[in-house]
Amino acid sequence: MVFSSTIFLFAFFPLFLAVYFAMPWRAARNVALLVFSLVFYAWGEPVYVWLMVGSILMNWALALCISRAGLRSGPWRKLFLGLAVVANLAILGFWKYQGFLAQNINAVLGEEFLADLQLALPIGISFFTLQALTYIVDVYRGEVKVQKNPLYLGMYIAMFPQLVAGPIVRYSDIEYEIDHRRATLAGFAQGLRLFCVGLGKKVLLANTAGVLADSLLAQDAATIGFIGCFSGVAAYTFQIYFDFSGYSDMAIGMGKMMGFDYPRNFNYPYTARSATEFWRRWHMTLGGFFRDYVYIPLGGNRVSVPRFIVNTMIVWGLTGIWHGAAWNFVLWGLYWGILILLEKFFIMRLLDRLPGFVSHIWCAVLFFFGWLLFAVTGLSNVAEWTAALFGAYGWLGTSTLWELQSWSYVSLVPIFIVGSLPWAPYLRKKLEAWAEGDSHRSIVAAPAKGNSAVPPCQALCEGVVVAPGRARVLAAVNALVDVALVAVFVLSAMAIVSSSYNPFIYFQF
Amino acid sequence: MKARNILLSGVLCLLFCGPALIGLASWGGVALPSWLTAADAAYLSGGLTEADPAAHFSVEGFASGEFQEAAEDAVGNCVPLKATALLANAAVQRSAIEASNILFGWECYPTFYGSSIVKMPSEGRLLETAEKATDSVRDAIGRVRDGLDAFGKRHPDQRVFVYLGPDSMNVEGSPTAKLVSNALTYEGTENLFEEHDGAFEWIGGNVTFDEFTRGWNKVDHHWNILGAFQAYERMAGALGFGDDTLAPKDLVTYDDPPFRGTFARRGLETAYEDHILDYEFADFPKFSVTIDGAEGSMDSLVHHKNYEWGTWGPNAFTSRYAEYYHTDYGLITLVNEEADTDRNLLIVADSYSNCMERLLAAHYRTTYVLDPRHDRETLDEFLADHEGVSDIIFIMRSPNLLAQATEQALAPASAQG
């Protein structure tokens, strides 16, 4: 089940909200959330729900063992931690990488040494495994209290808003909220607004860009030439951003409706001026996971230069392979690792001295080739597409301009670009400054947590002392924003009803 | 702020619950107008699927996915204003495409993103994007051509004719053929078919684009009676009745109901519409009619009386072509009670023949109209069961002539599993 489907929007979600808010106690709401999450997961893959339940019980039991095994340095604690980490990675490794491993080992040995079991990838396994790992490690580190109630831990691991495509919520993010969250009308409405924004990004922008991206990425570079390859990757660049950040917005919004404050996952990544900055803005919860649970334990940057380079490449290799069991994902991860190292040692000083537009162009080129590695499967295809982008097959390959259909998206390019830029927080700050009567107030960067991703629809002028005479204008702006959001919801619902094209790219991970 | 939050939450929750409200109203027996429910969209989205989630509500039903499928269908069937949603969504996308086209000035453009139906404002019509002459298409043409040759050789006592009905994809001067590389044109198809061994006769059916605009519907893939009659005259000439063709007395135009055919449905575009045209003839023979083994009448094949009485389907996207003439059947038999010949005709056809089989039937004693998509027996088997067939004519458009069903119909009886 995906959020942008009729069954979710018009049956599952309203039914969940009705049951959830009918429960008088938080404990009952937690159980309702767990039950609905398991149904949500089982909807598409009834068999794998048992894998999920097994993972919950295993992590619950091992975390209890860790917490009861004495001092932090005790060998039993380490043993249970090791067991939990190995078990979680084994689950992920078996279901996600068995086929990849078998194919490569067999290719090296030249014989069928290991059978490719061709297992279907359980949806969201990459996300819920990492979440379970953060819980286990944080219990070991003493950063969170062990959760004694398996139903509550199950609710955390299986929580449907962020189960299948993130954001990766650490247990510490919601530990307090499991027992003490407050669902308020304001929070509910804020969550709904963010849900509408995410739904619009996904359905109206990502899916539309996806029609072009899928059509062109399925063809040979020689058939579609430079224009086809360029517009295919460009469309994918927008598709993946709107798709993934839209999903995250919907997830954060649904959490907000229930009183949870999930971490922010995107902060306008296409405004970055370097590869390093891009990864501080793109899939922030994944970057945070690898930083805190892999990079820093490896020694971080407080090591020799060669070790630092090795640590960095390990992290980026893992980031790549986490996205998918294929060499192009590994290559994609290493590509970013190498770029980040190059920036750290050579390019960053130069970028800092160059005009802003030059560094933006630098980054646009990086995104472009990064997504080329990500989207085009097979290394030989990547080579062909790269050649096409350098003109090997002419402007159009063997196609006509008309049939490439890139031309029909020209009017949408400004919308895609504007949708990727932080105009909403900018306008919000401007409006708040105006409302306070302070036209010189500086525009501060949006904070990194939860609802800061929301455009002016949300926290607009909440807590601001409005200057006399300006309240009516603000009320009118607020009302217009809400009308626009309802329109976005209606347009999105129309598109969902119409369209059979509705993939979530990050489901495959 | 509180009132704003209450209002927004209320409106959105109401929208979330729309299908549930429609479902409850239907369950409670409340008669809702078809535009408010998903009923009007039945023709646009391929019909309403029968859904009974309760019947699959069990562990087995859930494990097999049948419950989920039924529940999703049930929700889809309850979406309010579904037809409006489908058309409005396409209109939004089309406006973006039209805005882009200001820069390029293409004569035709897709009716929505990903649509194979294109809009041609200068002619006020919708067209299908031309098919490409890929290797697999050429192979299919080769297989059907060889199948026709082999069939003709197995039946030397019968004359075999093929009439490929042009369509918007392949007609001479097709605007979409110019926009696509390596388009499969009528002429290209004809050239490949003409490389045959002489066991069948190819009747050239190509028309100019001007003739096409007059003889084909604007928003449906079928020809109208003008295009069909032009084809009939060519067929009659090839069959040897060129001096004895029927002469229409009058052209009848039914202004109502408006006809929004396959292109309008698939393209989700309502800007243009067609009207049913038909010819009246002075001395048209009387036929006894059998349809799929049941007794019928000419009124079952041409429903002109219904249209004269103002009786037609309420859905705006009903196929008026099928409604006025007839829907597709496996086998129709027309016996010309006034015929002065003993010759019998077998028409192997798709829906292109629905408006014109009676014209050819006027020249024969018995005419069989067999649609391979709906009748699975091979032509060898059919001829073995129906003696006296002197002429066999294939009347189809390209997608159906090259379809597997046609290949199977042409296969020798022994090749059928």
Side-chain angles (χ1 to χ4, degrees):
Chain A
M1 196 186 305
V2 297
F3 296 162
S4 51
S5 64
T6 49
I7 189 75
F8 181 85
L9 275 187
F10 300 126
F12 182 90
F13 194 48
L15 186 64
F16 164 73
L17 290 177
V19 171
Y20 181 84
F21 286 106
M23 297 289 161
W25 311 288
R26 195 169 296 109
R29 289 183 175 183
N30 287 346
V31 174
L33 180 51
L34 170 64
V35 170
F36 272 85
S37 296
L38 292 177
V39 171
F40 177 89
Y41 192 78
W43 193 262
E45 295 181 338
V47 176
Y48 283 147
V49 77
W50 299 113
L51 178 68
M52 161 79 73
V53 171
S55 171
I56 290 167
L57 292 175
M58 180 191 76
N59 284 292
W60 169 75
L62 286 170
L64 276 179
C65 291
I66 291 170
S67 74
R68 290 178 182 178
L71 298 172
R72 180 174 174 176
S73 57
W76 285 104
R77 285 172 64 85
K78 279 191 178 165
L79 177 70
F80 287 126
L81 172 70
L83 262 178
V85 171
V86 168
N88 276 299
L89 293 180
I91 290 172
L92 181 63
F94 181 69
W95 265 279
K96 188 163 181 175
Y97 301 108
Q98 194 279 334
F100 177 65
L101 207 63
Q103 287 161 19
N104 284 284
I105 289 174
N106 294 342
V108 169
L109 296 179
E111 59 176 299
E112 176 100 3
F113 177 75
L114 195 61
D116 179 354
L117 301 178
Q118 303 200 321
L119 299 164
L121 181 69
I123 290 173
I125 190 168
S126 308
F127 290 92
F128 74 71
T129 305
L130 294 198
Q131 292 201 166
L133 278 172
T134 68
Y135 168 66
I136 289 288
V137 174
D138 287 354
V139 167
Y140 173 80
R141 289 172 175 171
E143 290 174 5
V144 296
K145 287 181 186 167
V146 72
Q147 177 53 263
K148 292 175 183 166
N149 187 334
L151 298 179
Y152 285 12
L153 184 70
M155 181 201 74
Y156 157 67
I157 291 178
M159 203 183 298
F160 76 84
Q162 37 71 246
L163 171 64
V164 288
I168 297 164
V169 179
R170 298 184 197 186
Y171 186 74
S172 56
D173 290 328
I174 61 161
E175 182 185 18
Y176 180 79
E177 289 161 354
I178 288 175
D179 289 318
H180 301 95
R181 68 182 178 279
R182 282 185 64 230
T184 62
L185 173 63
F188 186 85
Q190 286 170 4
L192 272 177
R193 290 186 183 104
L194 191 50
F195 184 86
C196 291
V197 171
L199 188 67
K201 277 186 185 175
K202 158 66 188 159
V203 176
L204 302 179
L205 300 180
N207 281 4
T208 308
V211 173
L212 180 65
D214 282 6
S215 140
L216 293 173
L217 288 168
Q219 299 187 54
D220 294 332
T223 307
I224 58 176
F226 173 84
I227 291 177
C229 290
F230 180 84
S231 43
V233 179
Y236 189 79
T237 301
F238 287 117
Q239 182 197 5
I240 195 166
Y241 169 64
F242 291 124
D243 188 283
F244 195 14
S245 72
Y247 190 97
S248 292
D249 287 348
M250 283 188 272
I252 296 168
M254 284 187 281
K256 195 86 187 156
M257 290 164 77
M258 292 181 273
F260 289 105
D261 202 11
Y262 296 159
R264 190 176 187 183
N265 215 17
F266 289 86
N267 187 13
Y268 303 101
Y270 291 155
T271 61
R273 296 172 59 174
S274 66
T276 312
E277 188 188 352
F278 173 74
W279 277 101
R280 288 196 198 111
R281 292 170 173 271
W282 178 276
H283 205 171
M284 294 150 73
T285 56
L286 180 71
F289 173 86
F290 279 113
R291 182 192 63 224
D292 294 345
Y293 296 93
V294 180
Y295 179 67
I296 291 175
L298 284 173
N301 55 5
R302 295 179 180 177
V303 289
S304 64
V305 169
R307 183 61 198 267
F308 169 75
I309 292 171
V310 169
N311 288 353
T312 304
M313 293 313 286
I314 287 173
V315 166
W316 286 102
L318 289 174
T319 302
I321 196 83
W322 178 87
H323 280 84
W327 283 112
N328 65 308
F329 290 116
V330 177
L331 196 64
W332 175 77
L334 296 178
Y335 165 83
W336 284 108
I338 290 167
L339 284 170
I340 285 168
L341 286 172
L342 284 175
E343 283 186 354
K344 183 170 177 65
F345 291 115
F346 307 107
I347 303 171
M348 194 60 94
R349 272 165 281 175
L350 181 67
L351 281 177
D352 286 343
R353 270 185 254 137
L354 290 170
F357 78 91
V358 177
S359 47
H360 282 304
I361 291 171
W362 157 254
C363 258
V365 174
L366 298 188
F367 306 149
F368 193 85
F369 280 98
W371 294 130
L372 169 65
L373 292 174
F374 197 87
V376 178
T377 49
L379 297 183
S380 60
N381 282 340
V382 169
E384 275 198 13
W385 275 63
T386 308
L389 288 168
F390 285 97
Y393 304 111
W395 289 106
L396 296 167
T398 57
S399 303
T400 64
L401 179 62
W402 188 89
E403 70 185 308
L404 290 179
Q405 289 294 311
S406 317
W407 61 269
S408 63
Y409 288 78
V410 165
S411 64
L412 295 181
V413 171
I415 296 172
F416 290 152
I417 291 173
V418 168
S420 310
L421 298 177
W423 57 272
Y426 176 83
L427 289 178
R428 181 175 62 205
K429 293 292 174 191
K430 279 278 188 197
L431 203 60
E432 285 177 355
W434 175 82
E436 284 181 304
D438 175 11
S439 57
H440 302 295
R441 184 169 146 181
S442 62
I443 308 303
V444 295
K449 178 92 171 167
N451 59 23
S452 58
V454 189
C457 54
Q458 185 175 305
L460 180 59
C461 298
E462 278 181 352
V464 168
V465 180
V466 178
R470 296 185 175 181
R472 280 189 181 179
V473 175
L474 282 179
V477 172
N478 277 328
L480 278 177
V481 167
D482 279 357
V483 169
L485 287 172
V486 171
V488 165
F489 182 89
V490 170
L491 284 170
S492 303
M494 286 187 337
I496 288 168
V497 168
S498 304
S499 179
S500 55
Y501 180 85
N502 207 6
F504 264 115
I505 293 178
Y506 262 68
F507 267 32
Q508 63 187 292
F509 308 134
Chain B
M1 186 58 79
K2 191 175 179 183
R4 177 193 171 205
N5 288 338
I6 290 172
L7 190 62
L8 178 85
S9 303
V11 169
L12 286 174
C13 286
L14 193 66
L15 290 171
F16 278 125
C17 295
L21 296 175
I22 295 284
L24 276 176
S26 303
W27 183 68
V30 179
L32 297 170
S34 63
W35 58 265
L36 182 61
T37 66
D40 267 9
Y43 280 86
L44 293 173
S45 57
L48 289 175
T49 312
E50 286 295 319
D52 186 8
H56 301 285
F57 188 66
S58 63
V59 174
E60 292 78 23
F62 196 88
S64 66
E66 286 172 353
F67 170 75
Q68 292 92 313
E69 198 177 321
E72 286 167 17
D73 287 340
V75 173
N77 288 348
C78 291
V79 170
L81 298 163
K82 193 172 180 181
T84 308
L86 292 168
L87 294 169
N89 182 60
V92 169
Q93 295 196 10
R94 193 160 50 251
S95 61
I97 295 170
E98 284 168 347
S100 301
N101 197 37
I102 291 170
L103 282 177
F104 295 89
W106 301 113
E107 195 176 18
C108 312
Y109 50 83
T111 52
F112 56 86
Y113 287 114
S115 171
S116 62
I117 304 298
V118 301
K119 183 174 178 177
M120 187 180 185
S122 60
E123 290 288 341
R125 64 170 52 236
L126 305 177
L127 307 163
E128 240 173 335
T129 306
E131 195 180 0
K132 283 176 166 264
T134 59
D135 289 343
S136 66
V137 171
R138 289 169 181 275
D139 289 347
I141 292 173
R143 286 197 305 275
V144 172
R145 180 193 62 214
D146 296 345
L148 283 163
D149 261 331
F151 173 74
K153 285 172 186 169
R154 290 199 302 276
H155 300 280
D157 297 335
Q158 279 101 8
R159 296 189 298 165
V160 180
F161 300 87
V162 178
Y163 190 94
L164 176 70
D167 58 29
S168 67
M169 293 188 287
N170 61 19
V171 66
E172 186 182 317
S174 161
T176 65
K178 286 181 269 181
L179 298 171
V180 173
S181 61
N182 192 26
L184 180 69
T185 61
Y186 191 97
E187 196 182 1
T189 309
E190 197 168 48
N191 290 341
L192 288 170
F193 267 104
E194 284 182 343
E195 291 171 9
H196 63 92
D197 289 346
F200 66 89
E201 186 176 334
W202 178 269
I203 307 171
N206 206 0
V207 295
T208 64
F209 192 67
D210 279 347
E211 289 172 317
F212 177 82
T213 56
R214 286 192 297 275
W216 269 254
N217 288 304
K218 287 182 284 188
V219 294
D220 188 72
H221 65 282
H222 294 104
W223 48 27
N224 59 32
I225 197 63
L226 304 179
F229 195 81
Q230 183 187 22
Y232 154 74
E233 287 179 317
R234 292 179 181 183
M235 291 178 216
L239 289 161
F241 311 116
D243 298 332
D244 196 22
T245 51
L246 297 166
K249 185 181 73 174
D250 203 4
L251 178 67
V252 183
T253 303
Y254 293 94
D255 289 333
D256 280 320
F259 175 17
R260 298 199 174 103
T262 43
F263 294 167
R265 288 201 299 274
R266 286 171 49 205
L268 297 169
E269 166 61 293
T270 57
Y272 314 125
E273 59 189 29
D274 286 300
H275 299 278
I276 288 292
L277 309 178
D278 197 11
Y279 273 136
E280 278 183 355
F281 298 91
D283 297 313
F284 206 70
K286 286 190 170 53
F287 293 99
S288 62
V289 177
T290 311
I291 299 171
D292 286 337
E295 192 177 327
S297 69
M298 276 311 288
D299 289 345
S300 316
L301 300 181
V302 184
H303 296 80
H304 62 99
K305 286 179 185 164
N306 289 355
Y307 272 44
E308 284 157 13
W309 295 335
T311 308
W312 48 75
N315 192 295
F317 292 93
T318 300
S319 171
R320 305 299 177 193
Y321 181 84
E323 185 180 67
Y324 180 84
Y325 295 109
H326 61 84
T327 190
D328 299 337
Y329 298 113
L331 179 65
I332 302 168
T333 307
L334 296 112
V335 178
N336 181 349
E337 293 160 358
E338 300 162 13
D340 53 3
T341 175
D342 289 329
R343 297 174 71 83
N344 295 340
L345 172 68
L346 168 61
I347 301 174
V348 184
D350 59 16
S351 57
Y352 259 41
S353 79
N354 293 1
C355 67
M356 63 170 303
E357 65 233 352
R358 60 196 161 131
L359 308 182
L360 291 172
H363 303 283
Y364 290 86
R365 163 73 62 184
T366 302
T367 299
Y368 305 101
V369 186
L370 186 147
D371 187 336
R373 299 170 300 170
H374 301 282
D375 188 309
R376 290 296 177 194
E377 68 184 324
T378 66
L379 298 182
D380 284 1
E381 290 165 342
F382 181 87
L383 292 173
D385 293 343
H386 298 80
E387 291 181 358
V389 171
S390 50
D391 295 333
I392 301 159
I393 185 164
F394 288 76
I395 307 170
M396 290 181 180
R397 64 192 287 252
S398 179
N400 294 323
L401 184 61
L402 305 182
Q404 202 177 12
T406 307
E407 283 187 56
Q408 286 169 348
L410 286 167
S414 58
Q416 291 292 301

